[in-house]
């Protein structure tokens, strides 16, 4: 790494964020401030804005996810009806190959649209003749319960973290790319300046 790049990074690392903002917006009138310094300050200020924007986007995505899933859960809850069913046989383990794991048992129940029967989820070890709660849809068929508020919150948090992670990687990649371009600029500037100064410094003609 050239001395110009090393010096550029050393100076930049000791500049405060406020100093970078002043330099990036042209309010730093230091005569020693080079275009390269202003470009780096614009990069730092832009990176900070992108990080803040990432947090805002993550928060917005989390809130929208929560609202959407909470509304869906409320809509599902309006079409779920809890009744008491009586098992007509013992609990049976689900076949993992069918994609479900748990215990189900045959049961019968009564609902305004008429009597019903089917397999319902039950605790392990349930025997015939046990009363168990069953959630039914409007047609009287067993249906899954609406998503709990805890699961809705968990989904919202995961979405927010996902957006934050993606935006963070994007910001880091953009910063690294721009930083390399500025380093090459600093190196070219150093080599150009050295070509002009070196003959006078060394006395070579």
């Amino acid at each position: 790494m050239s001395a110009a790049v090393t010096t550029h990074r050393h100076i930049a690392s000791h500049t405060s964020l406020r100093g970078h903002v002043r330099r990036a917006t042209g309010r730093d009138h230091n005569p020693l401030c080079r275009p390269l310094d202003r470009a780096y300050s614009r990069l730092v200020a832009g990176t900070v804005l992108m990080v803040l924007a990432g947090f805002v986007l993550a928060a917005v995505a989390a809130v929208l996810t929560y609202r959407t899933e909470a509304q869906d859960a409320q809509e599902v809850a309006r079409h779920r009806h809890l009744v008491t069913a009586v098992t007509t046989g013992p609990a049976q383990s689900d076949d993992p190959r069918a994609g479900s794991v748990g215990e189900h048992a045959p049961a019968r129940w009564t609902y305004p649209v008429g009597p019903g029967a089917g397999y319902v989820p039950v605790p392990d070890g349930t025997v015939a003749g046990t009363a168990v709660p069953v959630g039914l849809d409007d047609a009287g068929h067993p249906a899954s319960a609406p998503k709990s508020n805890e699961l809705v919150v968990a989904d919202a948090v995961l979405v927010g973290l996902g957006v934050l992670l993606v935006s963070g990687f994007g910001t880091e990649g953009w910063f690294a790319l721009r930083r390399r371009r500025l380093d090459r600029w600093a190196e070219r500037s150093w080599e150009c300046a050295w070509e002009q100064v070196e003959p006078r410094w060394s006395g070579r003609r």
Side-chain angles (χ1 to χ4, degrees), residues 1-13 34 36-37 39-40 43 175-191:
M1 184 180 296
S2 68
V5 176
T6 303
T7 302
H8 167 62
R9 289 185 176 179
H10 176 75
I11 294 174
S13 63
R34 302 165 297 174
L36 176 63
D37 298 324
Y40 182 80
L43 172 61
F175 178 84
L177 179 63
R178 294 290 299 172
R179 180 66 175 267
R180 285 196 295 268
R181 293 182 62 182
L182 290 179
D183 287 344
R184 289 195 294 268
W185 181 8
E187 190 170 354
R188 289 193 301 268
S189 299
W190 169 259
E191 292 174 353

Side-chain angles (χ1 to χ4, degrees), residues 76-85 107-121 132-146:
V76 170
R78 282 195 287 269
H79 299 279
R80 293 294 180 269
H81 313 279
L82 190 64
V83 301
T84 299
R108 292 184 180 277
W109 58 85
T110 301
Y111 187 62
V113 297
Y119 279 84
V120 298
V132 294
V134 177
L136 306 177
D137 59 18
D138 293 335
H141 301 139
S144 59

Side-chain angles (χ1 to χ4, degrees), residues 19 35 39-40 45 68 75 89 98 118 130 132 146-147 156 159 163 167 186 199 202:
Y40 182 80
T68 300
E75 181 64 23
T130 303
V132 294
K147 185 175 292 186
V159 169
V163 172
S167 66
S202 64

